[in-house]
Amino acid sequence: MTSGAVFADGTADDDWLGLGAAAGRIAFDDLETDFVNILNANVGIGTTSPGAFALQVAGSVGPNADSAYDLGSAALRWDALYVGSIQAEGNISPSADNTYDLGTSALAWANAYINTASLNGITAQDATGIRIQDDGG
């Protein structure tokens, strides 16, 4: 088919286009909120061979409004984030108090550039050469 209506009955409810009922296809569902699903296939944007992920993008991805959308939710979170750098406008906070580490004994941060630091009740501001010694108590 090269032109014209795809579905002869004028509705796409529960119909599909694609390679077969069990192969890569686009399925349509006419509900209160309509759905268009891409099933049994990977989707590529800017690439002709999206083999590594269900959605693979060659290029930048961004929202159409500033600070308006989330990536995931409290109930449906992403597991791991692999990035080259992070620039945050706001707080970076753990989801539980006194539970998670920043770095590990094998992978420590080299430097921390902090204006005011509060470390388990110890506060230091605009100080240089701070030395904390454990007195055993």
Side-chain angles (χ1 to χ4, degrees), residues 5 28 45-46 72 80 108-109 124 132 134:
F28 302 87
I45 299 175
W109 295 94
I132 300 173
D134 183 2

Side-chain angles (χ1 to χ4, degrees), residues 23-34:
R25 66 194 185 279
I26 301 171
F28 302 87
D29 206 354
D30 186 15
L31 301 171
E32 185 172 320
T33 300
D34 295 332

Side-chain angles (χ1 to χ4, degrees), residues 10-136:
T11 177
D13 188 29
D14 296 325
D15 287 337
W16 56 268
L17 294 170
L19 302 174
R25 66 194 185 279
I26 301 171
F28 302 87
D29 206 354
D30 186 15
L31 301 171
E32 185 172 320
T33 300
D34 295 332
F35 291 96
V36 176
N37 301 302
I38 298 175
L39 305 168
N40 297 343
N42 290 352
V43 175
I45 299 175
T47 178
T48 58
S49 56
F53 302 100
L55 173 62
Q56 191 164 347
V57 178
S60 298
V61 177
N64 67 345
D66 189 36
S67 297
Y69 304 105
D70 297 326
L71 182 60
S73 69
L76 294 170
R77 299 172 300 199
W78 295 97
D79 183 45
L81 179 64
Y82 300 94
V83 298
S85 64
I86 296 175
Q87 294 185 4
E89 184 178 302
N91 297 326
I92 298 175
S93 303
S95 60
D97 187 35
N98 199 25
T99 303
Y100 304 107
D101 297 326
L102 183 60
T104 68
S105 60
L107 295 169
W109 295 94
N111 297 294
Y113 300 93
I114 302 169
N115 185 27
T116 300
S118 296
L119 305 171
N120 198 16
I122 301 169
T123 301
Q125 183 172 10
D126 296 330
T128 59
I130 296 173
R131 183 174 175 213
I132 300 173
Q133 182 174 345
D134 183 2
D135 62 0

